[in-house]
Amino acid sequence: MKKILNIICTACVVCGLTACSDFLEDQKPQGTLSENEVNTPDKVDNLVISAYAIFTTAEDINSSFSMWNFDVRSDDAYKGGSSTNDGDVFHQLEVEKGVLTTNWNINDMWVRLYNTLSRVNTAIAVIEKCDDSYQLKAQRMAEMKFLRAYAHFLLKRLYKNIPFVMDANMSEEQYNTLSNREYNNDEGWALIAKEVEEAYANLPVKQADKGRPTKAAAAAFLAKIYLYKAYRQDDANTNQVTSINQDDLKKVVEYTAPAIYEEGGYGLENDFHNNFRPETQYENGIESIWAIQYSINDGSTYGNLNWSYGLIVPNIPDVTDGGCDFYKPTQNLVNSFKTNADGLPMANYNDANYDMTVDNADPRLFLTVGITGLPYMFNKKYIMDRTPAWSRSGGIYGYYVTLKHNVDPDLIGSYLIRGSYWASPMNRIVFRYADVLLMRAEALAQLGQVDQAIPLVNQLRDRAAKSTQMIADYESRYGVHPYCKPYKGSYSKEEAIKIVKTERRLEMALESERFFDLVRWGDAPAVITSYVTKEKERVSYLGEAQFTQNRDEYLPIPHEQISSSNGHYVQNINWGK
């Protein structure tokens, strides 16, 4: 692994900030800028902006930092596309057959994220050399540590055993002798947590630039880190959860305290769908704690658009021609939104497929999944049916379409732009307040504080029931039955944990959290095996799918990285060499 000194800022994820031409004109060849040239406040800020920028410029439609490409391993999504050969390496991940350590997508994400770390560390190394005349030194350092932790977090969820690049001033020799087994699983999470705790201590409650993390963003991040850390997977010979740490759960409760978020002005949107609208008036709303910022009309040809979802757009003739129709909702996911006579999720939801003319359903279904017979993106000019417009594969991957990532076709030219692929300026929310409530509920349920956990779930269910601005006439016009009620009565600890897990799936569906949740809970082998057993009756290509416990929870360490590490990297268990 080489240290990549990449300090040119070509785009920016921080609203209102742009690349500085005077900095680019002064730039020397990589790695040769003198301290005097870069440690002035304006030059340091340019490096900081450059570090933010790489969280958009380093990702790709096939390697999105949202991780949607890798969520196809879960029970939420089919790969989609034109056939199983379209993006075949992701098909291999979906069925967990034929995955090779030499597959390009395995190495590509690794390289992109370590390039990201290189850019962030370049900024940190210069900030460290600044004296106290740089008034924003502590705050900017906190922002960069937040970003460095986020990149490590994404890597750790994917590969588990990773080299940590926490010293911004490492020599090339030190880089080349890093081990990916220096820390066990718990120690790795602790290292990331320490980084964000330092950021939390120095970040302000509010930021003028929306893309910069606030104190609440660090708190939400810490809650997530400690939630992963709580489910201990420290047996080097397995990926199984061996225990659930109470102290880590208490940290989750600490960092999800309502006062932290109230001070920053965060809370739930009145309508669930507001989180997934591209229009300027909806972006950076009260539920968006930290989001990757995309833009349009910023002076460049295409702006700083979100290309990472470019493969997800459906292929509507003469409208979104060229849409690739990836990341298709599964039948299992659609069925999970069914509700019983009490307005609660059904225990046997997957016994029969959802029938919109008969079954009750959580309103979030219609805001998450495009369904045959209903308008696509709530636009009545585009009623979905069983044609190639809604399934480029001719039905191999079904006819459902994800809605959270897509934009109303009537917004082409303003919020939906055609370049090499389709793109949008719509932000990608990384931490939203609903997730904070769910993390708090999960920790409290695991701690046995059921009476505090269930009301948090009910906040989301109450919001779901009221999220009807886009579907107000669906019942009268299309015959669907939106129906969602809160939980009532008393529940055991085990029942409460199950309730929280179910609610997390419904609320966060197709936000690329599902597979990682299953792995951290230790539920992936049982849930994915059960899912495949039933789902292959509906989609034939899953007939070859098989989840291998203590292997498929994580990606292999890329062969290219193993072979160039001079023996310092050890392959993940059961992936060979």
Side-chain angles (χ1 to χ4, degrees), residues 157-169:
R157 288 204 303 182
L158 282 173
Y159 302 96
K160 187 178 184 179
N161 298 297
I162 62 170
F164 285 87
V165 191
M166 296 299 197
D167 182 352
N169 297 292

Side-chain angles (χ1 to χ4, degrees), residues 271-390:
D271 192 291
F272 172 80
H273 179 58
N274 288 351
N275 291 296
F276 312 104
R277 300 193 66 164
E279 298 95 330
T280 303
Q281 63 268 35
Y282 291 103
E283 292 207 312
N284 299 307
I286 62 170
E287 196 164 331
S288 177
I289 297 172
W290 187 61
I292 303 298
Q293 307 288 311
Y294 297 92
S295 64
I296 195 170
N297 299 325
D298 61 1
S300 58
T301 302
Y302 290 117
N304 184 43
L305 294 170
N306 181 352
W307 297 99
S308 69
Y309 293 152
L311 296 181
I312 299 176
V313 179
N315 187 21
I316 309 171
D318 302 319
V319 182
T320 54
D321 291 314
C324 294
D325 195 36
F326 278 80
Y327 202 41
K328 306 278 280 183
T330 66
Q331 187 64 55
N332 182 289
L333 175 63
V334 171
N335 292 344
S336 72
F337 282 93
K338 292 193 294 185
T339 54
N340 59 24
D342 296 320
L344 299 174
M346 300 173 62
N348 60 342
Y349 71 88
N350 205 34
D351 288 353
N353 289 346
Y354 169 71
D355 182 339
M356 72 179 187
T357 64
V358 175
D359 295 319
N360 295 330
D362 188 311
R364 286 172 291 189
L365 170 61
F366 311 112
L367 304 172
T368 302
V369 179
I371 299 172
T372 297
L374 297 179
Y376 169 64
M377 294 309 300
F378 321 105
N379 189 327
K380 294 178 175 60
K381 292 192 299 187
Y382 306 100
I383 301 299
M384 297 185 60
D385 56 31
R386 297 176 68 83
T387 65
W390 310 109

Side-chain angles (χ1 to χ4, degrees), residues 94 434 480 567:
E94 182 178 7
V480 302

Side-chain angles (χ1 to χ4, degrees), residues 402-569:
T402 178
L403 300 182
K404 288 182 175 179
H405 311 79
N406 283 317
V407 174
D408 181 353
D410 277 357
L411 297 178
I412 289 176
S414 57
Y415 291 102
L416 185 60
I417 308 297
R418 179 67 185 272
S420 301
Y421 294 88
W422 289 97
S424 167
M426 181 167 61
N427 289 353
R428 175 173 63 82
I429 299 177
V430 177
F431 301 116
R432 64 182 178 98
Y433 188 67
D435 194 2
V436 171
L437 291 179
L438 286 164
M439 291 189 291
R440 185 172 181 82
E442 184 177 332
L444 290 169
Q446 289 284 9
L447 290 168
Q449 299 175 40
V450 175
D451 59 333
Q452 296 183 54
I454 298 300
L456 297 172
V457 170
N458 282 341
Q459 284 188 47
L460 296 177
R461 296 192 66 78
D462 288 339
R463 194 266 293 271
K466 298 173 184 176
S467 296
T468 58
Q469 63 177 336
M470 306 305 294
I471 61 171
D473 64 347
Y474 273 31
E475 187 164 11
S476 61
R477 182 184 287 261
Y478 305 108
V480 302
H481 305 284
Y483 189 51
C484 178
K485 296 292 182 182
Y487 287 91
K488 298 179 181 179
S490 300
Y491 300 93
S492 67
K493 175 181 175 180
E494 290 70 26
E495 289 171 332
I497 292 170
K498 185 176 181 179
I499 285 170
V500 173
K501 288 181 177 180
T502 297
E503 193 66 23
R504 184 167 184 82
R505 185 186 191 190
L506 300 176
E507 177 70 23
M508 307 295 291
L510 298 171
E511 294 180 51
S512 307
E513 291 288 305
R514 177 64 173 173
F515 184 78
F516 300 114
D517 284 339
L518 292 174
V519 170
R520 71 177 173 83
W521 291 330
D523 293 347
V527 170
I528 300 302
T529 298
S530 175
Y531 156 71
V532 167
T533 300
K534 182 68 176 178
E535 205 75 0
K536 66 184 178 183
E537 299 174 6
R538 299 163 174 148
V539 287
S540 59
Y541 78 91
L542 283 177
E544 65 173 325
Q546 181 178 347
F547 189 93
T548 300
Q549 187 173 7
N550 296 321
R551 185 194 71 179
D552 295 336
E553 293 89 348
Y554 296 95
L555 298 179
I557 307 302
H559 171 76
E560 184 175 338
Q561 305 303 324
I562 291 276
S563 62
S564 62
S565 73
N566 296 318
H568 293 290
Y569 292 175

Side-chain angles (χ1 to χ4, degrees), residues 19-38:
C20 295
S21 58
D22 61 337
F23 173 66
L24 299 181
E25 290 172 359
D26 287 346
Q27 188 191 358
K28 296 278 199 295
Q30 291 186 348
T32 62
L33 292 176
S34 70
E35 283 188 28
N36 289 336
E37 288 178 297
V38 297

